[in-house]
Amino acid sequence: MLLSLPLLFAPALVAAHGAVTSYQIGGKTYEGYQGFSPVAGAQIIQRQWPDYNPIMTASSAAMTCNGGTSAPLSAEVAAGENVTAIWKQWTHQQGPVMVWLYACDGEFTACDGKSKKWFKIDQMGLWGNVLNSNNWGTALVYRDLKWSSRIPKSLKPGNYLIRHELLALHQANTPQFYPECAQIKVTGSGTATPGANFLASIPSYAAQSDPGIMVDIYQGKATSYRPPGPDVWTG
Ligand SMILES: *[C@@H]1O[C@H](CO)[C@@H](O)[C@H](O)[C@H]1NC(C)=O
Ligand SMILES: [Cu+2]
């Protein structure tokens, strides 16, 4: 009887975690990838990812787009409008939400996200001063299963990758990263680009030992939290 318990619990574990599974942009819904099995030729804007499981190290190659390298479609979005990511499921309530963009040099097929050109347009870490609370960006994703971010109005038009990253901190000193990317074509008449101090490479936008990554939310001493990586660029 006792031996069968782990088997009983196994399906719940498989069902935990989460990933971005669709997007709302300009009043339209764009289906994303659903994971678990590569779908050849899926007509989506999202780069395919393998499963709901986390990435455990900031330097993992999978950090760029959760392993996804290409997608056949892209979505048009006017600078100043919002991109909303939707999660079919999400289970954790401690840790920040970070939303990043990457300017492609040209076509999406040649855009691998591997240069030091990622910048944040939005993030939410902790509010209040209790790390072991549900006052975190990821708790809002748990509640709403979505996250909406404005594309800076002044951003130079072009092809961009948008990367939604949930960093789950519910296990002490065991960070879990959940990033997914989609391809967006930003329109408008802006000319602004972020300066060098806003730019980072992914993987390794911060060290695994960064105080925003290697966190024990249960140790009861720290009363503030700063998400890892550069500051948000608002245009
Ligand atoms: C657009 O995104 C911003 C955050 O960047 C948010 O404050 C605002 O509520 C969003 N607007 C909509 C209509 O979702
Ligand atoms: Cu999880």
Side-chain angles (χ1 to χ4, degrees):
M1 226 14 226
L2 277 174
L3 280 175
S4 68
L5 272 175
L7 286 176
L8 280 175
F9 283 106
L13 289 175
V14 169
H17 317 306
V20 176
T21 46
S22 64
Y23 299 87
Q24 284 167 357
I25 302 170
K28 279 196 239 174
T29 297
Y30 294 86
E31 286 307 323
Y33 184 58
Q34 303 295 322
F36 300 114
S37 59
V39 177
Q43 294 302 300
I44 55 176
I45 67 167
Q46 190 181 41
R47 297 195 162 186
Q48 296 192 10
W49 39 272
D51 53 45
Y52 281 158
N53 292 323
I55 296 163
M56 308 302 290
T57 54
S59 60
S60 164
M63 278 291 277
T64 311
C65 288
N66 201 355
T69 55
S70 66
L73 304 183
S74 61
E76 231 176 61
V77 55
E81 291 193 346
N82 279 30
V83 171
T84 303
I86 315 277
W87 286 256
K88 203 170 231 177
Q89 62 172 59
W90 175 248
T91 44
H92 306 302
Q93 300 193 71
Q94 288 90 29
V97 177
M98 296 174 275
V99 184
W100 303 74
L101 290 183
Y102 182 95
C104 298
D105 283 327
E107 294 308 311
F108 287 111
T109 47
C111 189
D112 64 7
K114 295 293 185 191
S115 299
K116 191 181 177 183
K117 294 200 302 181
W118 287 99
F119 59 99
K120 289 177 181 169
I121 57 164
D122 189 18
Q123 70 182 2
M124 185 173 283
L126 175 76
W127 66 92
N129 55 13
V130 183
L131 270 67
N132 179 19
S133 71
N134 295 345
N135 297 334
W136 288 93
T138 49
L140 299 180
V141 174
Y142 175 88
R143 187 189 71 189
D144 300 335
L145 291 176
K146 64 181 177 184
W147 190 267
S148 195
S149 309
R150 186 169 289 115
I151 303 299
K153 178 97 180 140
S154 61
L155 181 66
K156 188 180 167 188
N159 290 345
Y160 288 85
L161 303 178
I162 187 166
R163 177 179 180 276
H164 288 85
E165 176 177 15
L166 306 182
L167 169 51
L169 301 173
H170 57 287
Q171 273 187 285
N173 299 317
T174 312
Q176 302 184 351
F177 302 90
Y178 299 85
E180 285 82 33
C181 298
Q183 301 178 167
I184 57 171
K185 192 178 281 287
V186 175
T187 63
S189 53
T191 54
T193 55
N197 54 327
F198 290 98
L199 300 177
S201 299
I202 302 179
S204 300
Y205 65 80
Q208 185 76 356
S209 59
D210 188 284
I213 291 178
M214 197 53 68
V215 184
D216 179 353
I217 64 165
Y218 307 103
Q219 46 71 44
K221 281 181 235 135
T223 55
S224 67
Y225 175 83
R226 187 181 187 283
D231 288 336
V232 169
W233 183 77
T234 52

